[in-house]
Amino acid sequence: MVFSSKLIEEAVNEIAKLPGIGQKTALRLVLHLLKQDENFTTSLTDSLLKLRRDIQYCRHCHYISDEPECNICQNKSRDRSLICVVESSQDVIAIENTNQYRGLYHILGGVISPMEGVSPADLNIESLLNRLPESEVKEIILALSPTMEGDTTAFYLTKRLKTFAIKITSIARGIPIGSELEYADEITLGRSILTRTNYE
Amino acid sequence: MVLYLKDLNLYNFKNYEDLKLEFSAGINCFLGDNGSGKTNLLDAVFYLSMSKSYFNSIDNQNIRHGEEMFVVQGNFETADKKHHVLCGVQTGQKKTFKLDKKIYERISDHIGKFPVVMIAPNDIALIYEGSEERRKFFDSLISQIDNPYLLDLMQYNHYLKQRNTLLKQFAEHNRIDRDLLAAYDEPILRLGAKIFARRQTFMLEFQPIFQGHYETISQYKEQTQLVYDSDCAVAEFSEVFRQNTNKDLALQRTTLGVHRDDFEFKIDNYSLKKFGSQGQQKSFLIALKLAHFEIVRQNKNLKPILLLDDIFDKLDEKRMSCLMQMVADHTFGQIFVTDARPERTQQIFAQIEGDKKFFNLQNGQIRNE
């Protein structure tokens, strides 16, 4: 793309680095900012700077937080005997939105993949193991993506958690609610037949 | 059940800029000089069936020189249904593969829907090259009749790559995490056992069909053997595999498993590669392909489309007449043939009844039909 101004070009290139935003959208955003009051841009950049500078990760579960301890870990009404292990903060938000879970979380920060250079040391695995002694935790729920890397990570965690007398479970996999059976892929359908549940 | 490709449309595929062809449900002959693009047409049909090239596994290299993308599309007809298949490859982007305008989430789901069997001069590599060629041949065959097998295989290969990368990383960092290695051993053993069992049962089904075809073609009663040779053919392979861990760590790769399987070709218990005559080798290859055809036909109740590349030059008369007898007997469904000598092909097929179509190719164009 050719720009009449070096300043616009720089701004567009920076914004276009964001996920899901291409050059055209970036240009639209830049031109939009120029049309607004200067205050609009300053408050936007201030809030972003502050976000970057002040954001913290919970020292227990690594969830995004304004304080050293996140609001979920602080919440006295949460069930401290349950830890749900997830890949990312987005996964916590997704599970929280279900209103079905009242336990604690632990965010790994990814899944193991040697080919992509992600080893267990790059993930928050040691900190999970360190949380367990002298805690009330009775069950760990593995809520990782049902991909090959997710499965490997789950298997590895199970191995590492064996030394603790804690129940390890995994979220169920099967047919999405409201979907039609005939459109389900064979692997999911096959698996949901094998791991069928009692009808209640 | 009938299966045939009704038409084909190429855009910037190999030497074709823009080409539209309509086919006969019977025999289709591509005629033209060397380099006119006969084989490329067979490969385009292969693409629509197997989602890749028979000759060049790098998709990008099948784009016409100086262009950015190619599109191959065509309409298949079975007994009562019509299906449109499209394959698009663009440099720097993921391949798109569509069935009836719908993009596949997993392209591998397409394999086996519209089966083809290719007979080409470079098949000789099956005899002379390493075990990888033979695994590829049998894997592609089993995948056509058993799609979940392909998925197991792809997963196995993925875990294997991860495990091998891990073994290298252990050596680099001089640190071994046995728990992590175990996380890869588990799926590799589980999937490996499935693949081993499938290859075993497949060979039991394949061998007698193959032997039958070999006898017909060679007209000798030599006993052929397809010996499936696998590390897994021991009691308690998991134990052997685990005991081998130190060797894997030292060599920085997985030294046992179905990824090393081989299929030995033998005649009267002698190696075909070392001791087989040229005639025996040719008969063996054709018999392999005809058995491929037969096993897909039995399993899918569908005659695969037959792609014959340059066989008139490469086969001797005896084997040729045997194959042509099968054509005349309507053993096959739709057939595509290439030949550089139009008179010869026309003469051979003149004696055979049924619907025929001849295409004369020149510089990526059809001269006349």
Side-chain angles (χ1 to χ4, degrees):
Chain A
M1 221 182 267
V2 184
F3 301 97
S4 55
S5 141
K6 202 100 203 115
L7 294 169
I8 287 188
E9 185 179 339
E10 265 176 37
V12 165
N13 286 342
E14 287 306 310
I15 293 175
K17 286 179 187 166
L18 294 168
I21 294 186
Q23 292 253 321
K24 273 188 186 162
T25 314
L27 180 63
R28 213 173 73 220
L29 294 175
V30 166
L31 296 176
H32 175 81
L33 287 175
L34 288 180
K35 266 194 237 156
Q36 313 299 312
D37 240 27
E38 202 182 320
N39 290 342
F40 182 87
T41 310
T42 22
S43 73
L44 175 69
T45 51
D46 280 353
S47 70
L48 288 176
L49 274 174
K50 239 169 75 194
L51 169 79
R52 202 65 198 90
R53 216 178 283 137
D54 299 341
I55 202 79
Q56 304 196 41
Y57 292 93
C58 174
R59 60 189 157 100
H60 306 298
C61 71
H62 309 279
Y63 188 43
I64 293 168
S65 166
D66 295 350
E67 293 159 65
E69 198 173 33
C70 75
N71 54 3
I72 294 176
C73 287
Q74 277 183 35
N75 188 339
K76 291 278 179 284
S77 71
R78 307 279 309 202
D79 183 349
R80 274 157 207 283
S81 68
L82 286 173
I83 290 183
C84 179
V85 177
V86 295
E87 277 172 49
S88 68
S89 289
Q90 281 114 291
D91 297 337
V92 173
I93 296 166
I95 295 176
E96 281 299 288
N97 283 338
T98 65
N99 284 322
Q100 299 291 328
Y101 182 66
R102 295 297 300 157
L104 303 176
Y105 290 95
H106 192 87
I107 296 165
L108 290 180
V111 282
I112 302 169
S113 174
M115 283 195 280
E116 282 156 76
V118 184
S119 75
D122 301 313
L123 306 177
N124 301 316
I125 292 176
E126 291 307 317
S127 69
L128 172 66
L129 301 175
N130 292 336
R131 272 176 90 174
L132 301 177
E134 292 156 43
S135 74
E136 308 156 39
V137 178
K138 291 197 185 74
E139 179 180 348
I140 289 186
I141 304 165
L142 301 176
L144 303 176
S145 304
T147 59
M148 285 186 262
E149 275 63 45
D151 285 346
T152 310
T153 309
F155 187 93
Y156 178 73
L157 283 175
T158 325
K159 279 238 151 197
R160 296 294 306 273
L161 290 165
K162 230 173 31 195
T163 45
F164 302 93
I166 293 174
K167 183 172 159 190
I168 300 168
T169 56
S170 163
I171 51 166
R173 293 160 183 197
I175 304 301
I177 290 169
S179 67
E180 284 177 53
L181 212 61
E182 63 169 316
Y183 293 118
D185 74 289
E186 284 130 34
I187 300 167
T188 308
L189 187 55
R191 204 179 155 127
S192 43
I193 295 279
L194 287 174
T195 61
R196 63 193 179 276
T197 52
N198 284 324
Y199 195 81
E200 287 165 52
Chain B
M1 206 163 58
V2 189
L3 160 73
Y4 81 100
L5 182 65
K6 201 169 170 294
D7 53 53
L8 180 70
N9 189 348
L10 306 180
Y11 177 72
N12 286 336
F13 180 75
K14 295 193 175 178
N15 68 323
Y16 294 100
E17 188 180 345
D18 195 356
L19 185 73
K20 240 185 148 140
L21 297 174
E22 295 224 354
F23 298 126
S24 144
I27 299 164
N28 297 277
C29 301
F30 300 133
L31 309 170
D33 296 337
N34 289 324
S36 60
K38 304 181 294 291
T39 305
N40 292 347
L41 291 177
L42 296 189
D43 209 22
V45 178
F46 193 85
Y47 246 108
L48 293 181
S49 166
M50 299 298 285
S51 79
K52 60 182 179 192
S53 163
Y54 186 75
F55 302 98
N56 187 343
S57 60
I58 300 162
D59 286 322
N60 278 342
Q61 296 181 354
N62 295 310
I63 302 174
R64 203 164 85 99
H65 295 307
E67 297 295 334
E68 296 282 298
M69 68 175 303
F70 78 70
V71 178
V72 175
Q73 51 185 322
N75 285 293
F76 287 98
E77 279 201 19
T78 55
D80 52 344
K81 280 188 192 138
K82 236 182 166 173
H83 289 290
H84 177 253
V85 178
L86 180 145
C87 175
V89 168
Q90 186 163 10
T91 21
Q93 282 186 29
K94 240 180 93 189
K95 171 160 58 185
T96 39
F97 209 87
K98 293 186 197 173
L99 176 64
D100 298 327
K101 308 253 152 105
K102 203 167 160 265
I103 292 186
Y104 276 104
E105 270 179 53
R106 271 197 313 258
I107 294 180
S108 63
D109 288 347
H110 182 74
I111 309 305
K113 287 208 161 82
F114 308 103
V116 296
V117 172
M118 171 89 85
I119 302 182
N122 70 343
D123 290 338
I124 194 85
L126 279 174
I127 296 175
Y128 283 100
E129 296 290 315
S131 58
E132 193 184 348
E133 291 293 325
R134 288 178 288 283
R135 277 195 305 277
K136 258 202 249 164
F137 170 74
F138 286 107
D139 284 341
S140 134
L141 208 176
I142 303 171
S143 301
Q144 283 193 334
I145 58 173
D146 181 358
N147 194 275
Y149 171 82
L150 178 57
L151 219 60
D152 286 343
L153 197 67
M154 285 164 62
Q155 292 201 350
Y156 179 91
N157 288 332
H158 183 85
Y159 283 121
L160 183 71
K161 252 189 180 160
Q162 291 278 30
R163 189 178 191 268
N164 288 342
T165 312
L166 191 65
L167 289 166
K168 283 194 189 75
Q169 288 171 359
F170 284 169
E172 269 167 39
H173 303 132
N174 213 357
R175 219 188 112 258
I176 296 165
D177 183 341
R178 301 237 173 213
D179 284 338
L180 186 54
L181 200 57
Y184 291 100
D185 293 355
E186 190 275 332
I188 283 176
L189 286 168
R190 175 170 45 83
L191 294 164
K194 276 174 86 177
I195 293 165
F196 172 66
R198 189 65 186 95
R199 285 178 181 168
Q200 254 186 332
T201 51
F202 176 78
M203 290 317 280
L204 288 178
E205 191 186 349
F206 190 76
Q207 170 81 48
I209 297 174
F210 171 76
Q211 173 71 25
H213 281 294
Y214 183 83
E215 279 174 19
T216 318
I217 294 163
S218 72
Q219 288 160 10
Y220 286 110
K221 294 284 170 200
E222 299 151 334
Q223 202 58 44
T224 61
Q225 288 87 26
L226 295 165
V227 184
Y228 176 36
D229 185 13
S230 175
D231 295 334
C232 305
V234 290
E236 301 295 325
F237 174 69
S238 318
E239 267 316 299
V240 180
F241 182 85
R242 291 202 178 94
Q243 278 162 15
N244 204 47
T245 305
N246 285 338
K247 193 177 167 196
D248 288 358
L249 287 165
L251 294 174
Q252 300 172 37
R253 63 188 158 80
T254 308
T255 54
L256 292 179
V258 287
H259 56 284
R260 297 179 357 106
D261 283 1
D262 200 355
F263 302 85
E264 286 173 64
F265 296 166
K266 290 182 173 179
I267 289 182
D268 288 336
N269 281 315
Y270 287 105
S271 156
L272 176 70
K273 178 179 168 184
K274 286 185 193 139
F275 303 107
S277 68
Q278 281 204 30
Q280 285 173 325
Q281 293 185 347
K282 280 180 186 171
S283 297
F284 207 97
L285 287 175
I286 297 287
L288 275 176
K289 297 296 177 137
L290 293 177
H292 176 182
F293 179 92
E294 184 58 23
I295 220 153
V296 175
R297 193 194 62 75
Q298 285 181 6
N299 277 274
K300 312 225 46 137
N301 193 22
L302 198 73
K303 285 179 181 175
I305 294 171
L306 198 59
L307 307 172
L308 305 174
D309 188 23
D310 205 12
I311 51 158
F312 301 126
D313 269 342
K314 295 296 181 302
L315 280 187
D316 46 62
E317 207 158 315
K318 200 175 77 188
R319 276 165 271 267
M320 201 54 236
S321 65
C322 181
L323 200 62
M324 284 307 122
Q325 189 54 49
M326 291 178 82
V327 173
D329 292 345
H330 299 285
T331 311
F332 306 117
Q334 193 181 26
I335 302 177
F336 292 89
V337 192
T338 67
D339 194 3
R341 287 168 52 194
E343 332 74 54
R344 172 173 59 187
T345 301
Q346 265 149 353
Q347 193 193 336
I348 290 170
F349 285 113
Q351 309 144 12
I352 290 168
E353 279 177 47
D355 198 12
K356 283 166 272 185
K357 215 163 172 182
F358 297 91
F359 301 88
N360 290 300
L361 300 169
Q362 200 173 42
N363 304 325
Q365 298 285 333
I366 297 294
R367 267 190 297 156
N368 62 318
E369 285 185 15

